[in-house]
Amino acid sequence: MPKRSKNHTEALKKVDRTVQYDPLNALELTVSSSYVKFDETVDVAVRLSVDPRHADQMVRGTVILPNGLGKEVKVLVFAKGEKEKEALDAGADFIADEDTIKKIQDGWFGFDKAIATPDMMGSVGKLGRILGPRGLMPNAKTGTVTFELEKAINEVKAGKIDFRVEKAGIVHVPVGKISFGAQKLAENVKAFLDKLVALKPASSKGTYLKTISISSTMGPGIKVDPLLIK
């Protein structure tokens, strides 16, 4: 086990691991516990009372974070004809052609999100095994397979995130940067949790939000009291 740095040890001392904090207090602790020189990403992990093996308990959705993610999002668009120009005018960083598809097959991933028009899904399908495991495969359910390219690109650039419950019943998402401060992070967390609660399956039994933890890239996990989520 690697030796913890003095700064990491001091950060751990600030957090009482036996306490479930109010969401804003947890975020204030997350910000004040940051000790590294780079702008850490803040993540939220939520354990749900669902069993994703059952189709009616699969929780999946999207949400636009009101304060974005604090990073430039590079968007690749699969489109042709007039839709190429529409995508570029809307701010797409890359238009995928046959050469781009070959580059991706060879290991290029210089983009954060991929969007495709429905008529391009035949070509995109060739990349399913490559893009899928990385969460980059365009999907109609998340609004990334669409002819409304301007809307889709603007949403992604503004901080739209996709989330999906994992096999263990956990949903894990980024909600911004340490530099946002606790209040803006709290607004993003609220938007995400509101959407997550709205997606509660009718078949979910017991307490839907079982545990919630907030952490930064290098910081300690801080427990949040699910009963304080409004």
Side-chain angles (χ1 to χ4, degrees):
M1 183 176 179
K3 185 178 179 180
R4 287 173 175 158
S5 70
K6 181 180 178 181
N7 287 334
H8 185 71
T9 300
E10 290 300 315
L12 285 173
K13 288 181 180 178
K14 293 182 179 181
V15 179
D16 187 339
R17 302 301 291 274
T18 66
V19 171
Q20 291 185 322
Y21 293 88
D22 170 272
L24 183 58
N25 289 342
L27 288 163
E28 289 171 344
L29 260 179
T30 301
V31 172
S32 66
S33 299
S34 178
Y35 59 88
V36 295
K37 294 182 179 179
F38 65 91
D39 195 6
E40 297 176 86
T41 296
V42 177
D43 296 303
V44 175
V46 183
R47 170 165 274 171
L48 304 175
S49 61
V50 299
D51 185 347
R53 293 175 299 178
H54 300 293
D56 63 347
Q57 293 192 41
M58 170 54 68
V59 177
R60 179 175 190 168
T62 65
V63 63
I64 299 176
L65 301 179
N67 298 302
L69 284 170
K71 60 176 261 186
E72 181 183 4
V73 179
K74 297 285 187 181
V75 179
L76 170 73
V77 176
F78 294 86
K80 60 185 177 182
E82 293 183 1
K83 287 297 178 179
E84 286 188 33
K85 183 177 185 304
E86 180 183 335
L88 290 171
D89 288 346
D93 299 281
F94 308 101
I95 298 296
D97 53 20
E98 289 302 319
D99 289 340
T100 309
I101 291 173
K102 180 65 167 59
K103 280 174 62 179
I104 294 171
Q105 290 172 328
D106 291 339
W108 176 73
F109 296 101
F111 55 98
D112 303 295
K113 291 287 183 179
I115 296 170
T117 52
D119 59 328
M120 291 296 291
M121 287 307 291
S123 297
V124 180
K126 302 174 186 177
L127 303 172
R129 292 184 179 179
I130 300 172
L131 299 180
R134 292 172 172 81
L136 294 171
M137 188 67 179
N139 188 304
K141 291 181 179 178
T142 61
T144 50
V145 176
T146 177
F147 282 118
E148 297 183 43
L149 294 179
E150 182 176 1
K151 178 185 176 185
I153 292 168
N154 287 341
E155 287 181 347
V156 168
K157 293 274 188 179
K160 179 180 179 181
I161 58 170
D162 309 328
F163 57 87
R164 179 175 181 169
V165 66
E166 301 167 4
K167 290 181 180 179
I170 296 172
V171 178
H172 183 269
V173 297
V175 290
K177 297 287 187 178
I178 283 288
S179 60
F180 283 18
Q183 189 58 52
K184 285 188 175 181
L185 286 169
E187 292 168 3
N188 280 359
V189 170
K190 182 179 185 304
F192 162 62
L193 291 176
D194 283 350
K195 187 59 179 283
L196 192 60
V197 170
L199 292 170
K200 178 183 178 181
S203 57
S204 172
K205 305 300 181 184
T207 303
Y208 179 55
L209 305 179
K210 295 176 71 174
T211 64
I212 303 172
S213 178
I214 293 174
S215 62
S216 60
T217 305
M218 302 297 291
I222 300 172
K223 297 176 183 177
V224 173
D225 188 345
L227 296 178
L228 297 178
I229 301 303
K230 304 299 182 185

